[in-house]
Amino acid sequence: MLIRSRRPQDPTENDVTPEAMYRNRRWFMGAMGGLGLAAALPGTAWAKPPWKDVTPAEAPAWFAAMKENVAWDAVVPEDQSVDKTTPFKDATSYNNFFEFGTDKSDPANRAGQLTTEPWTVMIDGEVNNPGKLSLEALMTPSRLEERIYRLRCVEAWSMVIPWLGIPLADVIRRADPTGEARYVRFETLVRPEEMPGQQSRFNLIDWPYVEGLRLDEAMHPLAFLAVGNYGRVLPNQNGAPLRLVVPWKYGFKSIKSIVRISLVRDQPLNSWQKIASSEYGFYANVNPNVDHPRWSQATERRLPNSLFNPNRMDTRMFNGYEEVASLYSGMDLRKHF
Amino acid sequence: MTLSSPRVLLLWRVLVFMAALSPLVYWSTQVALQQAGPEPGKYLLLGFGLCALVILLLTLSLTPLSKLTRWKGFTLIRRQLGLWAFFYALLHLSSYLVFILGLDFSVLLQDIARRPYVIVGMLALVGLLVMALTSNRWAMRRLGKRWKPLHKVVYLVLALVLLHFFWVVRADMTDWAGYALAAVALMSLRLPAISTRLPSLGKRLGLR
Ligand code: HEM
């Protein structure tokens, strides 16, 4: 409540940013540390200064309209001098998006041809409101938020990226899960003619790329559906036009270019687990104590780095988002890696 | 002047030298110009590793080529190319130690203990080192008849490198399959049934 009294203008009744977040110490510190104070004012003309050196992009009308009323800095790292935002150029030229190839530069070089409009998302499974929604219909009932999240790749590198999007919980609530729903399953677009990686005959991934979350993970306020980054629509190589961002899990859980969200009873078999279940699990929570067979997970290289300074730092449990720990109480995270 | 004249052969060796050096020059320039992406160390690591493998394959193509053509040029650059493969493998390892690990050797020890692909890479590098050390005239003379069997270790090195590469690949085997196919092709050219026919094939093709 201390927080509320310090921030009288907080839109606490705003369903977009649940009050629970503000009660949390991290969220509070984040908002105080950043520009959250002014930013949280709804409907004001105040806008955040644009991110530097960002390639502008044409945005659909609904996106432009939503951008008029963004909750800027809704979540920011507690110490932005440590977690400096990765330059736009790096976050958009060094990507794992195997639909476009396996080289880190392939997505930036080859994703330009992806058609992202029109875009529909199938909502199905154990829901009372199934249907095919346009991206606009999926997004516009919520308010756009900017969240600056750490992104930790399972390959032991990491970045800090400002996303624009809405809580995943909003979308799930609107879909209205039935009592049978236990998991959320996500699917990426399959369109080999625009996704050259899907044409490869020696690719081990059985397209579509599939990811999943337990329903309570998906409902956690930190789970996020992004349509933009750096104040603009998502560049294709970052998973346009709609991607998941689950900051306490390794990057591969944050599935890109989503075309289907299904509420299901059984735990989905995510693509990487299917290829190599000894290396990639369902949960894939960032965990410095459980190594990947090919990489130690104890530390990470924060990018961009330079030749003589790998910029190594200690990896934090749940990527530093310890507020999710209660989701896993009583679970052996060595077994459920 | 013919293709076998000393001048041509010298020029050829110089050209091969410059060609083998050019990837290093190119990548260093890219890094210096900040065109190597947000993780330049990894960029160099992968580039050097791949370059070592490619040069290793090229080295192994020299014997079949000289059988096919009888041109001295191919045998003349064999030692040079072998040393280049070793050189790039060494740069690859150094990139790993300096750029990725930041010379944190405790991580290296863990990696060696736990990660098979690192062990396999190490063994391959040891093989290359042994060949590099025994590639001079003095060692050849000392080793005499044993020199040739010793340098057959190159086949083992190639297999180890492909295994190393295989374990590094995560999802798309296309590139790996290409290199493995090249390796299998080069190896089959060494099967007696095929290698003894190469000279006559070369004649028929007008290559010798
Ligand atoms: C000396 C010990 C070695 C170590 C510690 C080492 C380490 C590595 C590492 C860390 C990677 C990248 C793994 C990743 O993608 O995360 C790699 C990839 C690779 N290494 Fe090595 N390596 C060694 C020896 C060698 C040798 C001797 C060769 C070839 C002659 C070689 C060829 C390659 C190739 C071709 C790749 C894959 C490059 C790509 O993915 O494009 N390595 N190695």
Side-chain angles (χ1 to χ4, degrees):
Chain A
M1 289 309 101
L2 167 78
I3 298 154
R4 182 91 52 90
S5 65
R6 285 217 190 154
R7 303 184 57 192
Q9 69 281 63
D10 239 357
T12 40
E13 298 330 310
N14 189 325
D15 59 31
V16 170
T17 322
E19 188 191 349
M21 293 184 183
Y22 289 108
R23 278 198 249 111
N24 184 297
R25 184 173 153 270
R26 177 175 315 285
W27 292 73
F28 164 60
M29 303 215 344
M32 294 305 282
L35 298 159
L37 223 88
L41 274 171
T44 53
W46 187 89
K48 200 177 141 142
W51 292 97
K52 265 189 263 152
D53 302 319
V54 173
T55 315
E58 227 173 285
W62 63 264
F63 183 89
M66 283 184 90
K67 247 199 89 180
E68 296 293 308
N69 181 27
V70 176
W72 296 104
D73 292 316
V75 184
V76 297
E78 54 276 44
D79 186 347
Q80 294 202 60
S81 63
V82 176
D83 290 326
K84 289 191 201 77
T85 301
T86 305
F88 176 79
K89 175 171 79 68
D90 295 324
T92 54
S93 64
Y94 198 76
N95 309 102
N96 278 327
F97 194 173
F98 284 19
E99 277 78 354
F100 294 100
T102 52
D103 232 61
K104 294 280 185 294
S105 54
D106 283 342
N109 293 333
R110 298 163 157 194
Q113 57 189 346
L114 181 69
T115 315
T116 55
E117 248 206 50
W119 193 273
T120 53
V121 181
M122 179 66 135
I123 309 276
D124 62 359
E126 296 291 342
V127 290
N128 294 314
N129 290 329
K132 218 170 191 177
L133 267 78
S134 69
L135 190 55
E136 176 177 359
L138 190 79
M139 298 301 293
T140 44
S142 296
R143 181 181 173 198
L144 217 51
E145 294 178 36
E146 182 177 67
R147 298 188 180 185
I148 307 179
Y149 279 159
R150 290 178 288 273
L151 173 96
R152 171 64 158 79
C153 178
V154 72
E155 297 167 343
W157 53 267
S158 60
M159 293 184 179
V160 180
I161 298 179
W163 304 105
L164 281 173
I166 63 173
L168 172 60
D170 283 12
V171 168
I172 294 178
R173 256 186 232 117
R174 289 198 282 270
D176 191 10
T178 69
E180 303 294 328
R182 294 278 175 278
Y183 295 89
V184 189
R185 181 184 180 279
F186 302 86
E187 238 179 69
T188 295
L189 176 74
V190 180
R191 195 182 284 160
E193 60 281 16
E194 288 183 358
M195 297 178 138
Q198 292 180 339
Q199 296 165 15
S200 164
R201 263 181 248 160
F202 294 96
N203 202 305
L204 306 177
I205 299 175
D206 189 8
W207 313 108
Y209 188 78
V210 170
E211 260 308 337
L213 294 173
R214 226 169 50 196
L215 186 53
D216 58 341
E217 296 179 312
M219 295 302 289
H220 193 278
L222 282 174
F224 201 55
L225 274 177
V227 288
N229 63 12
Y230 297 87
R232 49 159 280 175
V233 284
L234 280 176
N236 289 356
Q237 60 267 37
N238 291 130
L242 177 72
R243 69 167 291 166
L244 185 66
V245 187
V246 201
W248 71 92
K249 292 174 180 284
Y250 293 120
F252 69 85
K253 292 294 291 183
S254 292
I255 182 169
K256 305 188 175 98
S257 304
I258 299 169
V259 292
R260 188 172 174 195
I261 302 176
S262 318
L263 277 286
V264 295
R265 299 172 186 217
D266 302 317
Q267 183 173 303
L269 182 59
N270 49 319
S271 292
W272 283 103
Q273 194 186 0
K274 192 167 172 187
I275 296 176
S277 59
S278 60
E279 299 185 23
Y280 311 94
F282 174 76
Y283 285 95
N285 293 319
V286 175
N287 187 342
N289 308 313
V290 178
D291 273 1
H292 181 278
R294 298 188 228 187
W295 310 279
S296 160
Q297 298 294 24
T299 62
E300 65 203 56
R301 304 183 301 278
R302 179 60 56 82
L303 305 187
N305 64 10
S306 64
L307 279 191
F308 295 99
N309 179 9
N311 223 1
R312 242 171 212 285
M313 48 175 82
D314 285 340
T315 289
R316 297 159 65 187
M317 190 66 206
F318 300 118
N319 202 20
Y321 299 95
E322 283 100 351
E323 57 264 54
V324 301
S326 60
L327 291 171
Y328 310 103
S329 53
M331 273 176 70
D332 180 358
L333 293 179
R334 284 189 174 276
K335 208 167 129 237
H336 300 280
F337 56 86
Chain B
M1 273 223 313
T2 68
L3 270 180
S4 306
S5 69
R7 273 213 196 155
V8 171
L9 288 174
L10 180 66
L11 182 67
W12 161 245
R13 288 162 75 173
V14 172
L15 283 177
V16 169
F17 185 92
M18 295 202 303
L21 188 63
S22 60
L24 176 61
V25 174
Y26 174 73
W27 288 321
S28 310
T29 320
Q30 291 292 96
V31 169
L33 297 176
Q34 307 213 321
Q35 293 299 308
E39 197 169 17
K42 185 86 183 232
Y43 172 86
L44 290 179
L45 171 83
L46 297 181
F48 290 150
L50 217 48
C51 189
L53 171 57
V54 169
I55 296 182
L56 192 63
L57 290 169
L58 287 175
T59 313
L60 285 166
S61 73
L62 295 173
T63 300
L65 278 172
S66 67
K67 282 201 171 128
L68 215 52
T69 63
R70 226 170 40 182
W71 186 46
K72 251 168 121 183
F74 290 125
T75 23
L76 268 179
I77 60 165
R78 195 162 54 187
R79 170 167 36 182
Q80 191 194 145
L81 277 195
L83 286 171
W84 278 116
F86 172 65
F87 174 71
Y88 278 104
L90 208 57
L91 287 178
H92 176 68
L93 172 67
S94 315
S95 306
Y96 183 63
L97 296 180
V98 181
F99 307 146
I100 305 289
L101 299 187
L103 291 176
D104 184 344
F105 288 100
S106 60
V107 184
L108 177 70
L109 292 181
Q110 280 178 19
D111 276 358
I112 292 176
R114 291 196 213 148
R115 291 172 231 297
Y117 81 89
V118 171
I119 302 171
V120 166
M122 289 272 173
L123 289 175
L125 191 70
V126 170
L128 288 172
L129 173 71
V130 168
M131 286 188 289
L133 290 178
T134 57
S135 65
N136 51 58
R137 266 174 224 282
W138 181 80
M140 286 172 96
R141 227 175 295 136
R142 284 289 306 255
L143 286 164
K145 274 205 178 106
R146 281 168 304 165
W147 189 87
K148 230 179 155 172
L150 178 70
H151 278 241
K152 288 232 156 76
V153 87
V154 68
Y155 305 131
L156 179 66
V157 168
L158 180 61
L160 288 171
V161 170
L162 285 172
L163 183 62
H164 172 73
F165 191 178
F166 182 82
W167 271 330
V168 165
V169 178
R170 285 181 273 292
D172 195 322
M173 306 304 296
T174 312
D175 290 357
W176 183 86
Y179 293 106
L181 195 69
V184 169
L186 288 171
M187 285 302 110
S188 46
L189 290 178
R190 287 175 160 72
L191 296 174
I194 298 178
S195 76
T196 49
R197 297 218 171 101
L198 285 179
S200 58
L201 178 68
K203 250 182 224 147
R204 223 176 313 143
L205 296 173
L207 295 173
R208 56 187 284 161

